[in-house]
Amino acid sequence: MTTMLQLKPTITLELDGQEAAIIGSALLEQAHRCRDETRARLNRLIASKVYEARRRHHADAMQFFKSRYLN
């Protein structure tokens, strides 16, 4: 039996839309001011993940409301 090593840890956060927007904006602002390029890149990466999750959530919510109220 082989076990697969997971190199990327998975982090689950429960945020509402406003919290996600604030965190994403703060990470991008920190990335802009950061002198360490590695840390700046990491902040931009995390911010993009937060925004993408937020976008997917809004798309899923829109589909739900369309199917529920427009049919």
Side-chain angles (χ1 to χ4, degrees):
M1 179 177 182
T2 61
T3 58
M4 186 174 273
L5 178 65
Q6 184 177 356
L7 297 178
K8 293 182 180 181
T10 301
I11 299 171
T12 303
L13 298 173
E14 291 187 23
L15 303 171
D16 66 23
Q18 185 175 6
E19 290 169 336
I22 291 168
I23 290 170
S25 294
L27 286 166
L28 289 177
E29 184 179 323
Q30 284 181 358
H32 180 69
R33 290 183 295 156
C34 190
R35 298 199 192 316
D36 177 11
E37 184 54 36
T38 302
R39 180 174 287 167
R41 193 176 319 121
L42 180 61
N43 284 348
R44 286 190 298 270
L45 176 67
I46 295 169
S48 69
K49 299 283 185 184
V50 168
Y51 282 125
E52 179 60 25
R54 185 173 173 230
R55 187 196 64 74
R56 280 193 316 268
H57 171 73
H58 283 289
D60 292 346
M62 179 59 75
Q63 285 301 105
F64 170 77
F65 287 119
K66 279 183 177 179
S67 69
R68 183 164 185 161
Y69 296 109
L70 296 179
N71 287 334

